[in-house]
Amino acid sequence: MRILVLGGGGREHAIVWALARSRHAPEILVAPGNGGTEPSATNVPGLDIDDPVAVAAFAAGCDADLVVVGPEAPLVAGVADAVRARDIRVFGPSRLAAQLEGSKEFAKGVMRRHDIPTAASHAFESDEVDRAIAYIKRSPFPIVVKADGLAAGKGVTVAETRAEAIDAVRESFGGRFGDAGCRVVIEEFLSGPECSLLAFTDGETVETMAPAQDHKRALDGDQGPNTGGMGVYSPVPSVDEKTEAVMADLLVRTVKGLASEGVRYRGVLYGGFVLTEGGPKVLEYNARFGDPETQVLLPRLSSDLVDVMLAVTDGTLDHVKLRWKKAAAVSVVLASGGYPGDYEKGKPISGIGEAERVPGVMVFHAGTARSKGGELVTAGGRVLDVTALAPTLAQARDRAYEAAAKISLDGMQFRSDIAVRALGTGA
Ligand code: AMP
Ligand code: GLY
């Protein structure tokens, strides 16, 4: 079996790692991959993974049996449709289904039509600045202004004042996020802890994974700017079974709601929830695995990932019961100095071997590459995900930090409080 994975971050390294352990012993290609995906896989540089025609031609040319799409951009561009049109199995939703992530207003429409609780909101087009401002003036604060389309996590402003909210609208319409910002969604601020729940779905059956908690801000104590995610843990002790069941039901209703409109969703559906006093509400959907959530979820999964992915693509997920390890997992992101702002690349990295000798530790690469001389160097903002599995969250956290301390790279930055909140709530 030959599998082509698209993407090159920590999420894709974790996917490659899990696929490589399958009983199917697949041959894996990863485009572009990173400094950690070889030797489990063959890295494929130079393929434009956002180009549906190029990806479909490459997948056909290399006789791939399955294509796994990691990031959102190729999905929203229609890569899954193009691959499927060649009769090649593809793990990831169609262009239309991926609009759940690709357009906030599309997602809001689905939620409105199927009674899925979310923040009250209103969408405005770029010729409706005055109406947007009037809406802001009538609304309580804080208020949230979002670019409608994909903006790599940067399109959201939580505005404390009218002036901030109006600025955010003007900036978005002014082209700050390109086409993604031509429409804005202005929404009610939801207060409460955030929690991610991801599910595998073939469009009918929905199999949820374990809850995970990301840490979006750059600095300890949830201070500093938003990032792609600085660390994550799973399970989440503060989420009780009832809350988890409510979140799972909202994902089921989303998939069934789309199906009732003729849209079949296949792949991973990621629900970002806020646990409000009135119960969980959907903050956003993602049409893919989370990054860094995947780096704790896949190490906890005992089921064979290839079997699960084939069941998703073939519509037989009802025959699969996901099995999970009891072990807890904590993953700490080691980032380049300056991230999420400007940072330098090409810094040598050392100590990964020593880190991986700590029991239960896996180091997933995110932004790494091999220099011409074969040396491992930094190549991105988030560089490594140091993940530890252990019987308890407290032990997993200790192991992750013990391992992280063995790694050096010039200017390295990381949060020292990943999973601290969970331990305060009785883990
Ligand atoms: P998103 O890109 O939609 O994940 O938003 C990024 C972050 O902004 C979220 O993780 C939240 O912390 C925050 N956020 C977005 N929408 C809201 C909202 N309606 N209420 C409160 N916080 C929000
Ligand atoms: N961890 C957040 C995301 O994957 O979007």
Side-chain angles (χ1 to χ4, degrees), residues 79-92:
V79 163
D81 311 66
V83 173
R84 217 168 263 137
R86 296 251 191 165
D87 275 335
I88 300 171
R89 288 179 170 116
V90 57
F91 183 86

Side-chain angles (χ1 to χ4, degrees), residues 209-262:
M209 304 185 214
Q213 176 97 57
D214 191 5
H215 296 63
K216 289 233 163 110
R217 300 296 196 97
L219 306 175
D220 282 5
D222 292 332
Q223 301 297 308
N226 257 326
T227 70
M230 292 299 289
V232 59
Y233 60 90
S234 173
V236 183
S238 62
V239 173
D240 58 26
E241 268 177 38
K242 182 167 163 263
T243 308
E244 187 175 336
V246 173
M247 291 190 289
D249 179 57
L250 296 180
L251 294 180
V252 170
R253 280 162 51 192
T254 305
V255 170
K256 298 225 184 275
L258 279 175
S260 74
E261 298 176 7

Side-chain angles (χ1 to χ4, degrees), residues 310-325:
L310 293 180
V312 165
T313 60
D314 297 357
T316 56
L317 195 61
D318 55 336
H319 299 311
V320 171
K321 182 80 201 111
L322 293 182
R323 287 174 291 109
W324 296 93
K325 297 174 191 156

Side-chain angles (χ1 to χ4, degrees), residues 123-272:
F124 298 93
E125 308 294 326
S126 55
D127 59 0
E128 298 179 304
V129 183
D130 294 341
R131 290 188 51 220
I133 292 175
Y135 183 84
I136 288 169
K137 287 185 174 161
R138 289 198 301 275
S139 303
F141 284 81
I143 196 165
V144 186
V145 179
K146 300 183 171 185
D148 182 63
L150 293 183
K154 299 186 178 75
V156 175
T157 304
V158 177
E160 301 290 339
T161 65
R162 248 182 217 187
E164 250 181 284
I166 293 170
D167 276 356
V169 170
R170 289 198 196 281
E171 277 188 18
S172 189
F173 287 160
R176 180 162 172 216
F177 310 112
D179 289 348
C182 290
R183 182 192 284 151
V184 297
V185 173
I186 304 182
E187 72 178 27
E188 169 199 12
F189 178 83
L190 297 177
S191 105
E194 288 180 42
C195 179
S196 316
L197 188 67
L198 286 72
F200 292 102
T201 179
D202 60 6
E204 288 180 12
T205 304
V206 176
E207 276 285 331
T208 51
M209 304 185 214
Q213 176 97 57
D214 191 5
H215 296 63
K216 289 233 163 110
R217 300 296 196 97
L219 306 175
D220 282 5
D222 292 332
Q223 301 297 308
N226 257 326
T227 70
M230 292 299 289
V232 59
Y233 60 90
S234 173
V236 183
S238 62
V239 173
D240 58 26
E241 268 177 38
K242 182 167 163 263
T243 308
E244 187 175 336
V246 173
M247 291 190 289
D249 179 57
L250 296 180
L251 294 180
V252 170
R253 280 162 51 192
T254 305
V255 170
K256 298 225 184 275
L258 279 175
S260 74
E261 298 176 7
V263 180
R264 179 168 191 169
Y265 191 105
R266 279 176 285 200
V268 168
L269 176 60
Y270 166 139

